[in-house]
Amino acid sequence: MSEQEKKSKTPLLDELEKGKWPSFVSDLKQLSKKKPSVGQLLDQMEQSYETRVNYWTGTVLNLDGYGGGVIARYSDLGKKLPEVAQFHTIRVIPPSGWHYATDTLRELCDISEKYSAGILQLHGMTGDILMLGSDNKTTFEAGEELMEKGWDIGGSGGALRTLACCVGPARCETSCYDTLETTKRLTDNFISFLHRPELPYKFKFKLSGCPNDCANSIQRSDMPIIGTWRDEIQINKEEVKKFIAEHGEDYVVDNVITRCPTKCITLKKGEMAVDNPNCVRCMQCINVMHKALAPGKDKGVTILLGGKRTLKIGDTMGSVLVPFMKLETEEDMEKLFGLVERIWEFWGENGLEHERVGEFIERVGLATFLDGVGLEPNPQMIKHPRTNPYIKFEEYTAPKMAGEPKGAPNVTDKENEPKESAS
Amino acid sequence: MTTEKKKLAPRDQGAPDYKKNLHPLMVKNYGKWKYYDKIKPGVLKHVAESGDALYTVRAGSPRTLSVDKVRAICDIADKYCQGHLRFTSRANVEFLLAREQDIEPLIKEVRERLGFPIGGTGHSVTNIVHTQGWMHCNLPGTDAVGAVKALMDELYEEFTNERMPARVKISASCCSINCGGQADIAINLQHHHPPTINHGNMQICELPKVVAICPVAAIRPAKVEAKDSLEVVEEKCMYCGACHGQCPSMEIRDPNTDTLSIWVGGKSANTRSGPSFMKLAAWGLPNNPPRWPEVGAAVKKLLTVYKGSAKQYERIGEWIERIGWARFFELTGFEFTKYHIDTFKHARTTFNTSAQVR
Ligand code: SF4
Ligand code: SF4
């Protein structure tokens, strides 16, 4: 081979073929042999690596009847690299918990190869299946074939986004509710909101089966739904003995007893006891001694609200909205749907454009929000009561001084859900 | 545009049926798992009340996969896993096996055919979640895709072993919107000046929306050469890039000045101290493709110190809480500067309002 032939077109990206971790560059180079667009994708990336300039411009492309789900990109280098001039990503809703039969995955591969660049990302940050590299025409063809085969397109923009959940009862012994089924039911029930941007801004649900929060729901979703229990931690005395025999008492003291945030575990003469009313369900003891300890039997969920990433007010965590509710029966599921509807209604009517629900709560105050969605205030929703005296007590403020007398809250359909709170 | 009306496929079908996709042992033992055992890094054994055992082999993937790579994954799952597998939220592939004797042959094939490492369980450094970068985003100042590949090369042995005090989750993002999210260690890009406005192109966006998105109200309408446009009050602007996300004519990126920052101590799990946000550790690292060596060196340094100083089950944030931030900066050698002191909304809540000093 001559020097000229050996010279690579992508010397900088080639550096990412080195090292032990699997290289996307090597994989895509291989793919480029049958997909010219992938070669040009690498060429464009190479140019970005050289200049540190990005060459994708966002645009809008929607499948018939849908208001989102395609992340459309035009290349600024389209003249030079016509194969990536239009290079769109289709978001596809995955099966709950990212479980796949190989037939399912192969079907996606075939559609991706037929209409797109043959690149799949498993999965995007929200949890969608991402199918990269279709153009203005093949995006529609791919979309139709996906839907023909029973798939549905994911969310984007000011809409409900594709849901995500942990592995849950499919394989995890600490899962306190059915994360997979709830994910499917919420998706299907609110599917119209996922496809048509009708909310002030995006809304994400993430579902974790227990407070370990493997779905990172608390800081990555507007409504984290986290499994929990309200009775006593189950203790298997035999297994406790075995664990101590195996690891020694010091290990238990260092990693379980002293690590409990509310110091509610005692170990006396090899007997372990938990002060259950003080247990905050943090999971540490169960994680360490997972054969000896288990969540209680009266299981349900804690629902939080308002988690999100940096834009615009800085990161926020979800905060407690419903301390405890059961999520087992059809009736429970309907209650959850009702709660979501009331939140969307109140936020939808009063939220500003581009205002996430957490930002909305920060602006109007949690108390006003609770009033608006018909929930009673509860000390489990806060870390501590307020420390300043600047309060407008409705009981004491004469209407003529405070303006209009207080009317009924926006949502009249109050319910008694918080009575079920954990205690 | 052709207007020939074709019959459209059904809409609003919702999520695919997960039940059809579950491994048969998961269907059988759904919600009836009893405990799990660690066999070795990357290999778990879940035992059900029925006595059934399901083995999981976790492999790290680059997330961006050619269809042929995905088909190779499927071939292996067909051979050893009754045609079933799953992915984790951090782009690890989990091969599910009913038979213990299949574990080693499967691992061999995963290594040889896919080139994927086995690990990412327990107290390891697991796969890095990251954003699209120069591969497909419209806003990036850097390429998280490549940076993650380079960083995982450095951390390979930490993925395949479980020798950290607690699990370590890392995220990487290509701008300050930080789609990568909270993590024990997060790497993201920061801009250093207000957006440059392309006035000629300003008419394509809805200007009031651009004005409204600025968190510090730094944008206001202006007439430029008798055309409607916007201007930025430079003293107010904090270079967040929110406006750039709304309007491509508000260019915030700059290949000559953008830098990377490292954040530490983010955590989602409710375990022990509860969830926490990450905090600024180091700033001003060069945006240095193709391998971002300065980032790799800083993360490795941080992990070495953490490994030597933290107690078991202490995540990075919890470890720092225990030893204090002064000691953290001393041990890591990261310089503490005035920029580490918060100036945004709730800054005062981050000050030390006690005489407890160490
Ligand atoms: S969040 Fe809890 S239930 Fe879900 S996988 Fe993690 S440990 Fe299991
Ligand atoms: S960069 Fe951020 S602070 Fe500056 S003008 Fe844009 S939105 Fe406002």
Side-chain angles (χ1 to χ4, degrees):
Chain A
M1 233 190 260
S2 72
E3 270 308 301
Q4 196 53 41
E5 273 169 314
K6 263 193 273 175
K7 210 173 153 235
S8 165
K9 275 167 71 197
T10 54
L12 292 171
L13 284 181
D14 295 353
E15 289 297 311
L16 293 174
E17 292 196 87
K18 297 177 181 163
K20 282 165 103 177
W21 191 258
S23 168
F24 70 96
V25 175
S26 305
D27 189 22
L28 295 188
K29 273 191 179 175
Q30 195 64 31
L31 181 64
S32 71
K33 288 180 188 155
K34 60 177 173 186
K35 285 280 182 189
S37 62
V38 176
Q40 297 201 350
L41 170 68
L42 292 172
D43 291 345
Q44 174 166 328
M45 286 182 78
E46 177 73 15
Q47 186 154 336
S48 288
Y49 271 58
E50 245 171 71
T51 57
R52 287 183 285 188
V53 171
N54 183 55
Y55 299 106
W56 297 114
T57 298
T59 177
V60 180
L61 195 71
N62 284 321
L63 302 170
D64 295 86
Y66 283 0
V70 177
I71 308 304
R73 298 282 180 254
Y74 290 140
S75 168
D76 302 341
L77 308 177
K79 285 219 173 74
K80 194 173 91 182
L81 304 170
E83 296 284 338
V84 293
Q86 306 154 0
F87 199 81
H88 313 315
T89 290
I90 305 175
R91 290 183 173 170
V92 183
I93 303 177
S96 304
W98 304 297
H99 293 271
Y100 292 98
T102 50
D103 292 349
T104 309
L105 273 180
R106 287 182 200 278
E107 185 173 272
L108 284 171
C109 290
D110 293 346
I111 298 173
S112 165
E113 181 158 1
K114 191 165 160 197
Y115 300 106
S116 305
I119 301 172
L120 290 174
Q121 287 178 323
L122 301 167
H123 296 83
M125 292 300 309
T126 305
D128 293 281
I129 298 159
L130 304 181
M131 198 175 268
L132 274 70
S134 49
D135 63 22
N136 288 356
K137 182 160 162 278
T138 55
T139 298
F140 291 98
E141 294 165 352
E144 289 309 315
E145 180 154 347
L146 281 164
M147 289 186 274
E148 205 59 65
K149 299 220 152 100
W151 295 92
D152 205 349
I153 307 301
S156 67
L160 172 62
R161 299 300 185 86
T162 302
L163 284 76
C165 68
C166 73
V167 68
R171 197 192 53 199
C172 188
E173 72 284 357
T174 59
S175 190
C176 295
Y177 76 106
D178 194 340
T179 52
L180 275 60
E181 177 69 9
T182 311
T183 296
K184 172 140 178 69
R185 291 294 309 278
L186 280 168
T187 307
D188 295 356
N189 191 66
F190 293 114
I191 193 70
S192 180
F193 286 87
L194 194 141
H195 291 312
R196 289 152 206 108
E198 284 171 28
L199 302 170
Y201 198 22
K202 64 176 95 165
F203 194 91
K204 299 186 181 187
F205 289 98
K206 288 197 194 301
L207 292 78
S208 284
C210 81
N212 278 324
D213 196 6
C214 294
N216 296 326
S217 66
I218 203 155
Q219 44 99 356
R220 295 202 61 100
S221 70
D222 298 277
M223 193 189 261
I225 304 180
I226 300 179
T228 189
W229 65 95
R230 60 179 166 183
D231 57 345
E232 310 193 329
I233 287 191
Q234 301 182 62
I235 304 177
N236 180 330
K237 287 186 180 165
E238 277 314 300
E239 289 290 345
V240 172
K241 284 210 180 81
K242 265 200 227 166
F243 189 90
I244 297 172
E246 214 175 294
H247 295 84
E249 225 174 69
D250 283 356
Y251 184 93
V252 180
V253 171
D254 290 348
N255 295 297
V256 181
I257 312 288
T258 57
R259 287 257 178 258
C260 171
T262 49
K263 305 285 172 280
C264 63
I265 313 175
T266 51
L267 187 63
K268 277 183 195 140
K269 296 195 184 117
E271 288 267 326
M272 189 169 240
V274 177
D275 172 14
N276 278 288
N278 271 321
C279 165
V280 286
R281 284 107 187 134
C282 95
M283 296 300 292
Q284 168 69 8
C285 59
I286 298 174
N287 290 345
V288 179
M289 304 176 65
H290 56 266
K291 284 183 191 164
L293 306 175
K297 290 180 177 158
D298 188 6
K299 294 168 176 165
V301 296
T302 297
I303 299 177
L304 298 91
L305 203 66
K308 57 172 271 304
R309 299 293 312 123
T310 311
L311 283 186
K312 306 181 296 190
I313 59 169
D315 296 57
T316 57
M317 300 267 184
S319 73
V320 172
L321 187 71
V322 178
F324 185 90
M325 74 176 264
K326 297 293 278 183
L327 197 49
E328 282 162 7
T329 63
E330 196 50 43
E331 225 187 342
D332 298 336
M333 195 68 82
E334 291 294 333
K335 260 192 206 171
L336 175 61
F337 293 163
L339 177 67
V340 173
E341 280 159 18
R342 296 203 308 277
I343 291 168
W344 285 357
E345 202 179 310
F346 187 60
W347 168 52
E349 260 169 40
N350 302 290
L352 305 173
E353 178 155 333
H354 254 285
E355 189 173 49
R356 295 281 285 269
V357 74
E359 294 168 323
F360 174 62
I361 293 174
E362 176 139 330
R363 180 166 61 84
V364 303
L366 180 59
T368 307
F369 182 82
L370 293 173
D371 225 9
V373 300
L375 289 175
E376 295 298 329
N378 179 317
Q380 287 161 323
M381 295 171 179
I382 55 170
K383 288 197 179 115
H384 57 73
R386 68 197 296 154
T387 57
N388 61 69
Y390 308 130
I391 312 168
K392 292 186 183 169
F393 294 99
E394 286 158 11
E395 287 79 353
Y396 301 117
T397 310
K400 64 177 184 301
M401 293 180 67
E404 288 298 303
K406 185 180 166 319
N410 269 21
V411 178
T412 43
D413 175 26
K414 280 205 187 196
E415 68 167 346
N416 303 321
E417 186 50 44
K419 286 216 186 85
E420 278 194 79
S421 58
S423 56
Chain B
M1 276 254 119
T2 49
T3 45
E4 137 200 17
K5 265 265 172 244
K6 273 218 301 193
K7 198 176 166 301
L8 294 178
R11 288 331 199 230
D12 291 334
Q13 300 181 91
D17 184 359
Y18 63 92
K19 286 178 194 144
K20 281 196 214 143
N21 287 286
L22 292 175
H23 188 283
L25 282 182
M26 290 180 162
V27 176
K28 182 178 165 205
N29 298 292
Y30 198 81
K32 302 216 163 58
W33 295 97
K34 206 168 157 198
Y35 66 88
Y36 75 94
D37 270 329
K38 287 182 193 172
I39 305 229
K40 60 179 184 180
V43 184
L44 303 171
K45 174 187 183 180
H46 286 86
V47 178
E49 282 162 16
S50 66
D52 288 347
L54 178 69
Y55 300 88
T56 299
V57 174
R58 187 178 286 179
S61 98
R63 179 172 92 130
T64 301
L65 302 162
S66 71
V67 286
D68 296 320
K69 191 67 96 180
V70 177
R71 287 178 184 129
I73 293 172
C74 291
D75 289 347
I76 296 175
D78 282 339
K79 192 161 161 192
Y80 299 104
C81 309
Q82 294 162 268
H84 291 274
L85 68 153
R86 77 175 285 267
F87 288 82
T88 71
S89 61
R90 310 187 89 76
N92 294 313
V93 189
E94 290 189 335
F95 292 96
L96 307 165
L97 304 95
R99 302 183 338 155
E100 191 167 10
Q101 62 267 37
D102 287 339
I103 295 174
E104 290 309 319
L106 173 127
I107 290 179
K108 191 160 175 279
E109 264 196 71
V110 168
R111 287 218 182 94
E112 285 169 6
R113 204 165 155 203
L114 304 175
F116 290 1
I118 309 299
T121 51
H123 293 182
S124 65
V125 177
T126 186
N127 205 348
I128 302 175
V129 294
H130 63 88
T131 49
Q132 292 292 37
W134 292 328
M135 185 178 277
H136 206 257
C137 186
N138 57 333
L139 305 172
T142 189
D143 186 43
V145 186
V148 163
K149 152 67 182 158
L151 191 52
M152 282 315 285
D153 282 340
E154 299 284 326
L155 302 177
Y156 190 91
E157 309 295 331
E158 300 306 340
F159 180 86
T160 58
N161 286 288
E162 295 183 1
R163 55 188 187 192
M164 285 289 152
R167 70 180 73 238
V168 178
K169 296 182 176 183
I170 305 181
S171 75
S173 308
C174 314
C175 76
S176 296
I177 295 173
N178 200 5
C179 305
Q182 295 288 328
D184 294 283
I185 304 174
I187 298 138
N188 71 20
L189 184 117
Q190 292 199 277
H191 311 294
H192 300 300
H193 53 63
T196 317
I197 305 174
N198 178 351
H199 294 288
N201 205 24
M202 214 53 204
Q203 287 67 36
I204 60 167
C205 289
E206 287 177 55
L207 299 187
K209 283 193 185 178
V210 187
V211 170
I213 203 156
C214 179
V216 288
I219 307 177
R220 58 189 182 204
K223 282 259 189 245
V224 177
E225 285 166 10
K227 277 194 196 158
D228 286 336
S229 190
L230 301 174
E231 66 183 9
V232 171
V233 183
E234 305 216 340
E235 302 72 49
K236 277 193 185 175
C237 173
M238 55 184 183
Y239 324 146
C240 73
C243 52
H244 184 224
Q246 181 72 23
C247 171
S249 304
M250 306 285 287
E251 181 58 75
I252 185 88
R253 294 165 298 189
D254 187 335
N256 297 316
T257 57
D258 289 344
T259 59
L260 296 163
S261 299
I262 295 183
W263 305 74
V264 294
K267 172 173 177 285
S268 296
N270 290 274
T271 43
R272 304 171 303 276
S273 57
S276 63
F277 287 129
M278 58 210 195
K279 288 104 188 165
L280 180 64
W283 54 270
L285 283 81
N287 181 18
N288 199 0
R291 293 194 64 92
W292 293 268
E294 297 81 1
V295 172
V299 171
K300 275 183 100 168
K301 170 86 215 218
L302 176 59
L303 286 173
T304 308
V305 173
Y306 165 60
K307 202 155 99 183
S309 164
K311 293 182 180 172
Q312 240 204 323
Y313 286 105
E314 258 176 0
R315 294 276 290 268
I316 288 180
E318 295 168 308
W319 159 63
I320 301 171
E321 282 302 314
R322 180 173 58 80
I323 64 167
W325 283 94
R327 185 101 178 103
F328 169 79
F329 284 103
E330 195 183 308
L331 286 174
T332 55
F334 296 153
E335 192 192 350
F336 181 77
T337 65
K338 65 178 178 185
Y339 305 113
H340 287 88
I341 301 175
D342 199 349
T343 53
F344 197 47
K345 278 196 168 187
H346 306 291
R348 205 153 214 301
T349 63
T350 68
F351 303 165
N352 183 358
T353 51
S354 77
Q356 297 184 353
V357 175
R358 59 183 151 174

